[in-house]
Amino acid sequence: MSAFVTLHAFPAFPAARRRLPVAAGACLVSFTAFWLAQRAAHVSMIDLMVYRAEGAAVRAGGDLYALRATAAHLQPTYPPFAALLFTPLTLPGTATLRTLATAGNLVLLLVFVRLSLRLAGHTRAEDVWWVAAAAVWCEPVWTTLRYGQVDLLLATAVLWDLTRRAAGGRDRWAGTGLGLAAAVKLTPALFAVFLLITGVVARLRGGDGEPWLRHARGAAVAFAGATLLAAAVLPHDSWRFWTDAVFRSDRVGYAEEAANQALRGVLARLLHTPDPETSWAALAALTAAAGLAVAVAAELRGMRAWAVSCCAVTALLVSPVSWTHHFVWCVPVVLVLWTRGRRAAALGTALVFCSYVPWWVPHGAARPELHQSGAQMTLSALYAAVAALFLALARASASLPGRRPGPGARQAVTKE
């Protein structure tokens, strides 16, 4: 009997082993086709060139926020710590830098997909390759690589931080990824706010909120350390950013641009105005409160995948500008929906982000977005609409019976 079991079980093992190289091979083919398509499109990687110019300004001791880079005269918009990290970009030549950036982003995509699957509770190794092979063609990922953006790097840092499993219940690195990501670009700071609120609510309910509070403190320390380091090296630029540039959203671009899928962009197109500040501020505040409430409720019920994804889409909605490439968070959102049985929603979400729909409407230097028709406004608001619908689905899922926090609410940190 033992020999029979051995003979019949053994072939299954090689079959499982064969699936991995097949998936890896498919991913390699997809990445190669993607690379060739990018080369055929003659992408300029314009944002990467801005990062390079920022690094050059730091090395030369120039005025960072007076910089106008590339033929488009783009301005630096990130905190000074980002410019410090960009200084190595000045070392290779332009062609080499573009090649390295593309290769690096493809590797980051694999890591990001792996962490997204871990967040969703799905750990089969071959699925990383299959998902990455498809995800590289979705519009936010394509555009991230087209511009040479840092979106995948920052999203990976956030997910690495929020999916870690510390041995012994404590993690000395908790919050580091969040804090450093926020020091490069402020939007990830909302994740630290989410952790802080979760810890406070857990304590008010009589539970142990310390795991969340400790995580939030770690993020604050990492952010403060990186920001103070930048202030020590770049005192003038730091003063100028934190007292002036940080408050000027017009430095980033026009609010009504079709690529801006934040609520501010949607309102600018809907109201046919380049400055929807009053209505946007009120709507953003309500959305932030609602989105964080859903995220905290999900986290306290042990639904971390929903909670993290809700926090991500809330940050995208309430930010003054969320370009389409910022929506690389569509990858974990689709995976969470799929693994939680929301198959139709997952397929619909994937279809939207693979459709390149924001580019279907008139856009350009003449600012035609200020004069969109009803159909055009609908098409140019689909990313934001999908994000809002995801929050609604998460709210419904968090309200279902059967989910309860573990003893002292501590279990929600590590269990889905």
Side-chain angles (χ1 to χ4, degrees), residues 60-93:
D63 189 340
L64 181 62
Y65 294 102
L67 177 68
R68 299 296 181 271
T70 75
H73 302 289
L74 299 178
Q75 306 177 53
T77 58
Y78 297 166
F81 179 67
L84 286 181
L85 299 183
F86 295 151
T87 53
L89 301 182
T90 62
L91 300 178

Side-chain angles (χ1 to χ4, degrees), residues 151-325:
D151 303 293
L152 284 170
L153 175 63
L154 299 183
T156 297
V158 170
L159 274 190
W160 171 82
D161 201 328
L162 291 172
T163 59
R164 286 171 60 80
R165 296 292 184 264
R170 281 180 176 266
D171 185 358
R172 61 185 299 184
W173 299 104
T176 303
L178 289 178
L180 293 179
V184 172
K185 187 175 182 178
L186 296 177
T187 310
L190 191 67
F191 288 95
V193 175
F194 150 70
L195 292 169
L196 175 63
I197 295 174
T198 304
V200 171
V201 172
R203 279 193 172 180
L204 291 175
R205 293 181 178 180
D208 179 11
E210 184 57 25
W212 292 286
L213 296 175
R214 185 167 57 246
H215 205 152
R217 285 196 299 269
V221 169
F223 173 80
T227 302
L228 290 174
L229 173 63
V233 178
L234 303 170
H236 171 73
D237 294 322
S238 294
W239 175 260
R240 184 168 179 182
F241 179 82
W242 294 108
T243 61
D244 178 43
V246 70
F247 302 108
R248 294 173 53 193
S249 57
D250 60 304
R251 294 175 58 87
V252 183
Y254 297 122
E256 77 278 0
E257 289 187 48
N260 182 12
Q261 293 294 301
L263 290 174
R264 182 166 170 261
V266 173
L267 282 175
R269 295 186 290 270
L270 179 65
L271 301 176
H272 304 293
T273 174
D275 187 22
E277 298 304 320
T278 303
S279 54
W280 166 72
L283 182 59
L286 289 173
T287 302
L292 285 172
V294 175
V296 169
E299 177 74 358
L300 289 173
R301 291 172 68 84
M303 303 166 64
R304 168 149 289 200
W306 285 106
V308 171
S309 301
C310 284
C311 192
V313 301
T314 300
L316 291 169
L317 286 172
V318 304
S319 175
V321 174
S322 289
W323 303 124
T324 60
H325 52 79

Side-chain angles (χ1 to χ4, degrees), residues 38 51 53 69 71 76 97 102 138 194 208 211 243 281 295 326 348 361:
Q38 289 270 37
Y51 301 156
L97 179 61
T102 301
C138 76
F194 150 70
D208 179 11
T243 61
H326 295 168
V361 302

